[in-house]
Every structure is written in C-alpha cells, then in structure tokens.
C-alpha cells in the first residue's frame, strides 16, 4: 500500500497533521477550501525565489494565521518588512476582506526558516527541474541531488524520472536510490513531492522521497 499512495496523505492523522487547520459548516466548506487554494497558488508563484516549502493555514472566528516555511526568509520579508506587507495585502484581497470586515478578521502572517533546504523534497525536485530545462545531464543532476541530501543528514532518498528522459523518442521510467526509504512504515518521516519538467523535447515527471528518520 505504501508504494501506491501519496506518502504524505498516507500519514495524515498519524505522523503528519493537516496543512489547513479549521472547522466550517458544510455550507461554507467549499468556499474556504477554494480560498486556501488561491492563497497557496499566489504564494507559490510570488515566493518562488524565496524557496517556499509549504504553507500552513489556521482559521479561527477572529483571525486567519498563515505560516510560510521558506529557505530564504529575507526575500519574503524585504527591507524593513515592506515585501511582507505587500504579500499580506494581497492575501487580504484574495480572502475578500473589506475594510469593514478587517476589524473582525485579522491576518497573521508568519515566516519560518527552513534551515536545511537539501532535506526538502520540494526544493530538491524543483532544482532538478531547473537543471533538466537547461539541458543539464539528468544522471549528473540526480547524482548531485542524492549526494547533497545524504550529506545534509537524510537516512535515505529515492528519485524517479518518468517521460522523455534525455530527449529520448520513447518515454521510460528510471529510479535512483540512496539509503533506505521505508514507504510502508507509518512512523517514518518521509518528505515527498512531485513536479513536472516541461523540457524542450517533452514532459518529464519527477518524484522525490526523502526519509529523515522515525517520529516517535
């Protein structure tokens, strides 16, 4: 079963918690889910250069807390916090908070630093995407990612490439391993991300699993 499903979704409620933490009536649930999606989409595009890893959203009756996990927090904050205010204002616009409603609902935007970006599956996958788009040899790109991740303290890493790898006429799938990745162990702390690389020769899908140890 661990090989067939998303490793993060497989562990929700046991090892990991939810990225959106709030409760809503069924009548408002779909609207709030759409708001969360729009906020995450905007932050993903706006803060791509900051090394955005994930976004957590918590809602209460009077406040909405947005927690950003980034590898370069200085890019998000900006000089004197000016860029942070711009991002906060855009989030308020997405959430349709009018001036009359601002007194009731408060946006709390927090920035947390990811101290080891080489242990983030999202950043590792995005780096490989950038290298493949620039026509970097895929085996060298993957080998460098494996070495850096293991040197950063990971217990294991697995990378899978699927599609027209290296501009081949026929699509294929290649897997690269280093260390151990116990995908069926629920207590295993596995960071997972998948992202496409739209290269000149075609589409290449990239999946990255990083095993950081067990959560007790």
């Amino acid at each position: 079963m661990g090989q067939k499903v998303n490793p993060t979704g497989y562990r929700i409620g046991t090892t990991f918690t939810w990225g959106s933490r709030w409760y809503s009536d069924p009548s408002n649930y779909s609207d709030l889910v759409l708001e969360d999606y729009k906020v995450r989409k905007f932050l993903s595009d706006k803060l791509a250069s900051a090394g955005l890893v994930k976004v957590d959203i918590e809602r209460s009756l009077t406040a909405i807390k947005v927690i950003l996990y980034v590898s370069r927090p200085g890019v998000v904050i900006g000089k004197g916090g000016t860029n942070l205010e711009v991002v906060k204002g855009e989030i308020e616009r997405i959430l349709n908070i009018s001036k009359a409603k601002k007194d009731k609902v408060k946006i709390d935007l927090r920035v947390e630093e990811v101290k080891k970006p080489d242990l983030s599956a999202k950043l590792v996958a995005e780096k490989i995407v950038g290298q493949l788009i620039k026509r970097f040899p895929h085996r060298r790109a993957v080998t460098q990612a494996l070495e850096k991740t293991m040197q950063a303290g990971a217990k294991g890493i697995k990378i899978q490439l699927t599609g027209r790898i290296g501009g081949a006429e026929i699509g294929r799938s290649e897997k690269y391993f280093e260390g151990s990745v116990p995908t069926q162990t629920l207590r295993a702390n596995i960071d997972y991300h998948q992202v496409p690389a739209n290269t000149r020769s075609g589409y290449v899908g990239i999946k990255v699993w990083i095993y950081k140890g067990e959560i007790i």
Side-chain angles (χ1 to χ4, degrees), residues 199-210:
T199 64
R200 292 184 179 180
S201 56
Y203 183 102
V204 178
I206 300 169
K207 296 181 179 180
V208 177
W209 295 258
I210 296 179

Side-chain angles (χ1 to χ4, degrees), residues 152-171:
K155 297 291 184 67
I157 178 174
K158 179 171 70 173
I159 299 176
Q160 177 177 324
L161 305 181
T162 304
R164 296 190 60 183
I165 304 171
E169 290 294 330
I170 301 175

Side-chain angles (χ1 to χ4, degrees), residues 44-81:
S44 178
D45 297 338
K46 178 75 173 179
L47 304 178
S49 60
L52 181 66
V53 175
K54 68 173 183 175
V55 179
D56 285 350
I57 300 175
E58 298 178 0
R59 294 174 184 262
S60 64
L61 294 175
T62 58
I64 300 175
K65 184 190 295 183
V66 181
I67 306 172
L68 310 177
Y69 295 88
V70 296
S71 60
R72 293 184 290 275
V75 177
V76 181
I77 298 172
K79 279 189 176 182

Side-chain angles (χ1 to χ4, degrees), residues 1-7 10-11 158 177 180-188 190 192 209 211:
M1 187 65 182
Q3 301 285 347
K4 305 291 189 297
V5 298
N6 187 302
Y10 189 43
R11 291 163 174 80
K158 179 171 70 173
F177 297 87
S180 64
V181 184
T183 52
Q184 297 191 36
T185 307
L186 285 175
R187 61 181 178 273
I190 296 179
Y192 170 79
W209 295 258
Y211 175 47

Side-chain angles (χ1 to χ4, degrees), residues 7-8 16 53 119-123 158 181 188-193 208-212:
T8 303
F16 302 140
V53 175
L119 290 180
S120 170
K122 183 175 184 293
L123 298 183
K158 179 171 70 173
V181 184
N189 183 6
I190 296 179
D191 192 14
Y192 170 79
H193 189 72
V208 177
W209 295 258
I210 296 179
Y211 175 47
K212 304 178 184 179

